[in-house]
Amino acid sequence: MWPSSQASKMLTVLLALIVLYCVAMDTMLFLRIRYYKIDVYDEIAEANATERAKGNLRSYESAVWVPCVVNPLCYPTVKALLVDHVNHYLYGPLSAAVDLGLRISHGVPFITPNMISFFHVFVALVGAKLLTCQSLTTRRIGIVLFQLRMFLDDLDGHVARERKNIKGEKSEVGTLGYWVDGVCDLIGVAAMVAGIVLYLRSNPPRRGYRNTPLSTLPYHQLKEINSSEDIEKEHAASEVGISYKTKVSFRRVVQVVGLFSGQMVISSIAWNRYIDAYQELLEGTAWDVTRRAAVFRSGVFFSATGMWRVVNPHSYLHLLSLAVFSDKTWGFLRAVHHTGFLCLVAAVVASEYYVVSMRRLLGDPS
């Protein structure tokens, strides 16, 4: 087992590399959208002689060496621009590579996307059980299982799109697969939250009071100091210098976790709403294709979708996973259980304003 300091340094370096990779991929995605063809707007790209003369709107497939079957930049769609960075740039290509290697989509017809969804629910339930354990190593294994669940969530979507010959991310609202995937995701997230709550119930966080006279502590906190383990004495002969560590009540744990869970619910509802709204505006057939192409390629739209790449429910789960893995679960939950709502409100207000502005810009077809 590595020393904790060495493990922390390695984790920090790994996270820094992932952040740099995602920033680089975002930059390349923006350039890809601006200067290469996009399938849904091909008719405009072919007809636009001015853009062709500038050298823009070329075929992206002919300009890159990474095959489109595993390249997350090849088929940009509205939903792809709202998917979180880890799923889009890591799990997405990995699921495509696994599917290519195992030939699930075209060589193993009895494995359906719904079967994959049901299996990742089982993985989540096992992971939730591990999250309740005392051992940090065991809880870390549980987090690895939850990341496997998120990868399988990507894989079931990839297999479904491959079998329907759909290129790029797209939500098929109302289909059986859409609802099965949503329910399985909900069960997986609920299992993770339940595992964390049960762990915090058995191992309540501590609130510390350093160099605080006993007479100044609130009565309800004095009642919680009920064993010698709850009091650390730096000077046995004096009350001065004592560090009191009181347990956080389970009610407080439920409150904080509940507020975080509420953020995830709001994030999920809003994220799906804007996927549907942007798909209807930019990938629907009722709107002027020239204007749709211009909006899709604009930096404003890229920024608007970029907000949801950060505050969508999958990003919340990745951050929570990192907190549990680092044994900072309670600190993370306390840090975001109020401030996270501010970020969500800002994202929703900005998105609503932008949807209204897009409708005016594109022109109401009715």
Side-chain angles (χ1 to χ4, degrees):
M1 181 67 68
W2 291 323
S4 58
S5 59
Q6 183 178 354
S8 298
K9 291 178 181 178
M10 293 180 65
L11 181 60
T12 301
V13 171
L14 177 61
L15 290 175
L17 291 175
I18 291 175
V19 170
L20 290 175
Y21 168 72
C22 291
V23 170
M25 292 296 286
D26 265 356
T27 303
M28 289 190 287
L29 177 61
F30 180 68
L31 295 176
R32 182 262 181 277
I33 291 171
R34 291 294 297 272
Y35 298 115
Y36 295 93
K37 292 181 183 179
I38 301 171
D39 288 349
V40 71
Y41 308 124
D42 271 352
E43 56 186 282
I44 293 301
E46 294 294 340
N48 197 327
T50 302
E51 292 295 333
R52 287 203 307 273
K54 292 179 180 178
N56 295 343
L57 304 178
R58 297 168 293 166
S59 171
Y60 184 76
E61 292 86 340
S62 64
V64 294
W65 59 271
V66 179
C68 279
V69 68
V70 294
N71 190 335
L73 306 181
C74 272
Y75 305 111
T77 61
V78 164
K79 185 176 180 180
L81 293 184
L82 283 95
V83 172
D84 64 287
H85 295 86
V86 174
N87 279 16
H88 191 192
Y89 297 136
L90 293 175
Y91 292 165
L94 182 58
S95 63
V98 168
D99 181 40
L100 186 65
L102 300 180
R103 296 183 57 81
I104 299 173
S105 296
H106 304 294
V108 193
F110 64 87
I111 297 181
T112 66
N114 288 345
M115 288 176 62
I116 299 174
S117 297
F118 295 144
F119 179 68
H120 73 60
V121 170
F122 170 75
V123 172
L125 295 176
V126 175
K129 175 61 178 177
L130 296 181
L131 290 186
T132 65
C133 296
Q134 299 285 335
S135 168
L136 177 59
T137 300
T138 304
R139 297 200 303 278
R140 285 174 171 171
I141 294 173
I143 288 302
V144 171
L145 289 180
F146 274 105
Q147 288 300 306
L148 174 61
R149 186 207 75 81
M150 297 187 74
F151 162 73
L152 292 173
D153 186 31
D154 261 29
L155 181 62
D156 64 19
H158 175 81
V159 171
R161 291 189 297 272
E162 281 293 307
R163 290 183 176 174
K164 294 181 179 180
N165 199 31
I166 297 174
K167 302 299 182 184
E169 296 272 356
K170 190 174 180 65
S171 286
E172 296 184 293
V173 180
T175 62
L176 176 62
Y178 176 86
W179 289 111
V180 169
D181 183 64
V183 171
C184 289
D185 281 351
L186 177 61
I187 295 174
V189 173
M192 183 177 188
V193 172
I196 290 172
V197 169
L198 291 175
Y199 170 76
L200 292 176
R201 182 179 184 178
S202 302
N203 303 270
R206 302 280 179 148
R207 179 184 293 121
Y209 295 86
R210 187 170 297 279
N211 298 327
T212 304
L214 186 64
S215 58
T216 65
L217 289 179
Y219 175 71
H220 72 279
Q221 290 162 352
L222 290 177
K223 287 170 54 178
E224 294 174 355
I225 303 177
N226 52 19
S227 71
S228 59
E229 295 179 355
D230 293 328
I231 302 179
E232 297 177 357
K233 294 186 178 181
E234 296 178 1
H235 302 284
S238 173
E239 195 180 55
V240 178
I242 297 178
S243 298
Y244 302 94
K245 293 187 177 180
T246 63
K247 297 177 181 179
V248 174
S249 67
F250 182 62
R251 180 180 178 181
R252 175 61 175 167
V253 168
V254 172
Q255 179 187 37
V256 171
V257 175
L259 287 171
F260 177 79
S261 300
Q263 291 178 38
M264 290 197 60
V265 171
I266 295 173
S267 173
S268 180
I269 293 172
W271 185 63
N272 281 285
R273 163 176 162 62
Y274 295 118
I275 289 176
D276 294 344
Y278 290 145
Q279 281 185 170
E280 184 265 327
L281 287 168
L282 298 179
E283 295 178 352
T285 58
W287 307 87
D288 179 80
V289 68
T290 305
R291 294 180 181 179
R292 285 192 290 128
V295 170
F296 190 86
R297 289 191 168 95
S298 69
V300 176
F301 180 65
F302 193 82
S303 299
T305 56
M307 292 186 300
W308 290 103
R309 295 166 78 81
V310 176
V311 298
N312 75 39
H314 297 100
S315 294
Y316 275 73
L317 289 177
H318 290 307
L319 290 174
L320 181 58
S321 296
L322 178 61
V324 176
F325 193 88
S326 304
D327 200 22
K328 303 293 184 182
T329 310
W330 181 245
F332 168 75
L333 291 172
R334 283 193 60 200
V336 302
H337 74 291
H338 287 313
T339 57
F341 282 108
L342 299 178
C343 298
L344 277 176
V345 169
V348 168
V349 170
S351 298
E352 285 296 326
Y353 175 80
Y354 189 58
V355 167
V356 173
S357 300
M358 284 176 64
R359 290 186 181 276
R360 292 175 180 170
L361 178 63
L362 294 173
D364 191 336
S366 62

